[in-house]
Amino acid sequence: KQEVTQIPAALSVPEGENLVLNCSFTDSAIYNLQWFRQDPGKGLTSLLLIQSSQREQTSGRLNASLDKSSGRSTLYIAASQPGDSATYLCAAPGGTSYGKLTFGQGTILTVHP
Amino acid sequence: DTAVSQTPKYLVTQMGNDKSIKCEQNLGHDTMYWYKQDSKKFLKIMFSYNNKELIINETVPNRFSPKSPDKAHLNLHINSLELGDSAVYFCASSQDHGTSGFQETQYFGPGTRLLVL
C-alpha cells in the first residue's frame, strides 16, 4: 500500500526566497509522480508530472526531482512570490491500479510581501 | 471553456436524504475519478472509470454509487446521507489510467462542498 508523506506541513517565508518542499513515498515501484497546487476553496491544479525515467522536470520557477531508490521527490520554487501562497500536494500512484493516486497531506506555503 | 466541471458547487442537505453530484469533462479523456477531501484536507480516491467501466473502487460505503453514462460524464449518487459524508468531493479526469505504465496528468474540477446537517 502506497503511503505519501510531505514535510514540512507548513512553511512561511519572505518574498524572494528559494524554497524546497519534500515528499516521500513508501512504494518505489512508481512510474511517475505528480505535484499539485490547491488554492483555498479551489480545486487542484497540476504543476508537474515527472516520469520515473526522468530525474527532473521544470516549469518556469518550479523544478521537481524524483529519486525512486530513496523514495523521495522535491519541489523547488525559485524566487518565491506572494502569489505562490497555496497548499502544495504530492501524489504517487501505487499497486497495480496505475490511475490510483495516493496524496500526501500537503505543505501549506505562505509567502509574505 | 471549463475542462472539468462539477454541479452543484455547494450542497447543503439533511441527514437521510439522497443526493447526486454531476461531473463533466470536455477534454476527450478516457478516465474519470471521484475523490473525497475531508475536514483535515486529506484527499483520498473513491472511484475511477475508464470508458464507462469501473476500474477503481476503494473501500467506500455502498451508499455511494457512481454512474458513467458516457466517458465524458461521471456522476456520484449518495443515498441516506450521514453527517460523516460532509466533505469536498472532487472529480478529475486523465487521458488514460496508465495501462502502458505511464499515467497521465489528472485534471481536477472545482469541487462540490457537501454539508450534511
Side-chain angles (χ1 to χ4, degrees), chain A residues 70-91:
Chain A
S70 65
R72 294 181 181 179
S73 176
T74 60
L75 179 66
Y76 177 82
I77 303 177
S80 58
Q81 302 171 358
D84 295 331
S85 299
T87 297
Y88 290 81
L89 294 156
C90 165

Side-chain angles (χ1 to χ4, degrees), chain B residues 12-73:
Chain B
V12 181
T13 188
Q14 299 288 331
M15 280 177 54
N17 284 350
D18 302 338
K19 292 293 179 184
S20 292
I21 307 172
K22 295 184 177 181
C23 178
E24 176 181 2
Q25 53 94 5
N26 62 7
L27 297 167
H29 287 168
D30 290 338
T31 308
M32 297 184 72
Y33 311 82
W34 276 111
Y35 289 88
K36 178 180 180 180
Q37 188 172 43
D38 61 25
S39 57
K40 295 183 180 179
K41 306 300 183 184
F42 189 64
L43 197 65
K44 189 172 182 180
I45 192 166
M46 300 173 68
F47 301 103
S48 176
Y49 271 73
N50 180 254
N51 276 322
K52 302 193 298 178
E53 179 182 351
L54 181 67
I55 56 171
I56 296 174
N57 185 356
E58 288 299 282
T59 306
V60 177
N62 56 16
R63 297 182 295 104
F64 290 78
S65 54
K67 285 186 171 55
S68 181
D70 55 64
K71 72 175 190 178
H73 296 84

Side-chain angles (χ1 to χ4, degrees), chain A residues 51-72:
Chain A
Q51 304 280 13
S52 61
S53 58
Q54 301 171 306
R55 294 189 69 84
E56 288 187 1
Q57 182 72 274
T58 298
S59 175
R61 293 182 294 107
L62 305 179
N63 176 277
S65 66
L66 176 63
D67 184 347
K68 285 182 56 178
S69 60
S70 65
R72 294 181 181 179

